[in-house]
Amino acid sequence: MSVHNDVNTLAVAEYLFGAGREAEDFAVVTLGPGIGLGLVIGGRLHDGAEGLAGEFGHIPLLPEGPQCHCGRRGCLEALAGDDAIARAAGTPSVAAAADLARSGEGTAQRSARRAFRDAGEWIGRGLAVIDNILAPELILLSGEGITAYDLLSEGIASGLGDCAFEGARALERLRIDSADVNLWARGAACLAIQRSLG
């Protein structure tokens, strides 16, 4: 029996009730402490062997990059997760980094803005991997980290536009979706029902 990650529940909910209703092929990428991925392909959740598909935060992007909690170096999550942004900004949390980037002054503000822009660029490069392999109709960005999209957007556009095979079209397929907690819960309920029905 496979165990679904929470991003898979969001992907199912987006397909049934949310922004993915009009698409048969789409990806949901969540930003925050971790960076997750849920895939719907041909109108069905793709969860891989044992439900392990979607470890998007652990694609290796920089071989000599920072240590990731998974034990490897240069994973997307180690470059662009909340902890990475806070560390690069020199703040105790990503929320503090966002406050500094938006309303700070001088060098500290510039460092915080740079931390978000760099993280956004790594996220964009990661999104380009998805687009180049699957060319989904939509890529939905969601999760708690989306509250800082205003700070990440320039880097995301740069990384995705530069690295996707069809950069301009890839950018057109990107959507921001601030899914609420209820949508996640509805997706979990739907997966539980599907599993119980065999």
Side-chain angles (χ1 to χ4, degrees):
M1 178 184 295
S2 65
V3 177
H4 290 285
N5 69 46
D6 59 349
V7 186
N8 283 343
T9 68
L10 181 58
V12 168
E14 292 285 12
Y15 181 67
L16 295 174
F17 314 112
R21 282 178 295 178
E22 304 301 319
E24 291 292 301
D25 300 281
F26 67 90
V28 179
V29 173
T30 55
L31 306 179
I35 298 177
L37 171 67
L39 293 170
V40 171
I41 300 174
R44 296 177 59 90
L45 177 69
H46 177 76
D47 57 353
E50 303 300 321
L52 295 175
E55 289 296 334
F56 183 54
H58 299 292
I59 59 169
L61 294 179
L62 189 64
E64 301 303 318
Q67 186 84 31
C68 182
H69 65 83
C70 74
R72 295 175 178 84
R73 289 192 167 277
C75 293
L76 175 58
E77 201 167 290
L79 295 163
D82 284 358
D83 287 346
I85 294 170
R87 186 171 53 251
T91 57
S93 69
V94 71
D99 288 343
L100 185 59
R102 292 184 180 118
S103 58
E105 296 179 354
T107 302
Q109 183 187 45
R110 287 191 295 275
S111 293
R113 287 182 175 175
R114 181 68 187 194
F116 280 100
R117 195 204 181 284
D118 289 350
E121 186 152 355
W122 287 117
I123 293 165
R125 287 171 179 262
L127 296 176
V129 172
I130 296 171
D131 196 75
N132 289 345
I133 293 172
L134 298 174
E137 296 169 65
L138 291 173
I139 298 177
L140 302 173
L141 280 186
S142 192
E144 60 194 85
I146 211 66
T147 58
Y149 185 73
D150 59 312
L151 300 169
L152 294 165
S153 60
E154 181 184 349
I156 290 174
S158 175
L160 178 57
D162 289 349
C163 297
F165 183 69
E166 294 183 305
R169 291 191 63 195
L171 287 166
E172 290 172 5
R173 293 192 285 262
L174 182 66
R175 305 272 170 78
I176 309 309
D177 186 35
S178 302
D180 65 24
V181 175
N182 291 330
L183 194 59
W184 293 71
R186 290 170 80 183
C190 290
L191 276 175
I193 292 167
Q194 287 175 0
R195 182 176 288 174
S196 70
L197 294 175

